[in-house]
Amino acid sequence: MIYSYIKPKKKKKKVLAILLLVNFFLRLSEGPNWRSILYFTIAVVLLTAEGVQLDLVQKRYRKTIAISNFHFGKWHSLVNVEKVIIESAKNMANRGEHKVNDLLVQLSFDNQIIRVYSTENHSYAHNTATEISTALNVSIDDKTIENVI
């Protein structure tokens, strides 16, 4: 099973990219020119997102650049995995890219932490963390327990 996580993009960027693509396709009838190519290039850059993919079957991960559902990046093997972390986005310093209610499933290894899943549903986050920890044979560090009333 492969888990994909893509950093959330702001809606304004998506809308602007779609408008630029529409403009590009409307200008194609006039023939390709530098302006239409510029619109297309800017739209692709705005639609590009960074992310991470985790392959549990082959025990590897890659940091990706994603354009729509096409992911590009070099695979690395998962070694020295310490734990799976479940954390609330409201407790994080860089929560600006996530909703306050988001729960993040992260993987800790080799002195780095990568996000592999994000959801607002508490049970989805725990199920995903359990699947990952079982596949990698590591423990789960649930940092949301102390916040539950």
Side-chain angles (χ1 to χ4, degrees):
M1 170 151 224
I2 295 180
Y3 288 96
S4 294
Y5 169 79
I6 297 176
K7 288 183 182 176
K9 284 238 176 212
K10 294 186 178 179
K11 289 182 183 178
K12 291 178 184 178
K13 286 185 178 182
K14 288 181 183 178
V15 171
L16 179 59
I18 291 169
L19 290 174
L20 288 169
L21 284 175
V22 168
N23 199 337
F24 165 74
F25 286 114
L26 290 174
R27 290 185 178 270
L28 276 181
S29 61
E30 302 169 4
N33 60 27
W34 68 271
R35 211 178 259 163
S36 62
I37 293 170
L38 180 65
Y39 291 151
F40 181 77
T41 305
I42 292 172
V44 168
V45 168
L46 288 174
L47 290 174
T48 302
E50 295 178 7
V52 173
Q53 284 190 319
L54 176 66
D55 184 355
L56 290 179
V57 175
Q58 298 185 15
K59 294 186 173 41
R60 61 186 185 162
Y61 78 99
R62 69 177 173 176
K63 293 183 179 178
T64 63
I65 299 293
I67 301 171
S68 185
N69 284 335
F70 301 101
H71 298 266
F72 306 96
K74 183 179 176 185
W75 288 102
H76 303 281
S77 62
L78 280 171
V79 291
N80 302 328
V81 177
E82 299 162 9
K83 59 187 169 184
V84 177
I85 302 168
I86 304 173
E87 190 168 13
S88 175
K90 65 181 156 189
N91 296 335
M92 303 182 68
N94 60 346
R95 66 179 173 259
E97 65 189 37
H98 293 281
K99 298 175 190 168
V100 174
N101 296 332
D102 280 353
L103 293 172
L104 308 172
V105 178
Q106 304 173 108
L107 201 58
S108 172
F109 65 98
D110 291 337
N111 295 325
Q112 63 177 331
I113 295 176
I114 58 170
R115 289 186 190 133
V116 293
Y117 190 72
S118 173
T119 183
E120 288 185 20
N121 188 314
H122 201 76
S123 64
Y124 287 167
H126 283 277
N127 291 342
T128 302
T130 302
E131 287 178 22
I132 294 170
S133 68
T134 302
L136 299 176
N137 198 22
V138 294
S139 64
I140 298 175
D141 182 9
D142 189 351
K143 295 185 176 182
T144 62
I145 293 174
E146 61 268 7
N147 298 324
V148 176
I149 297 174

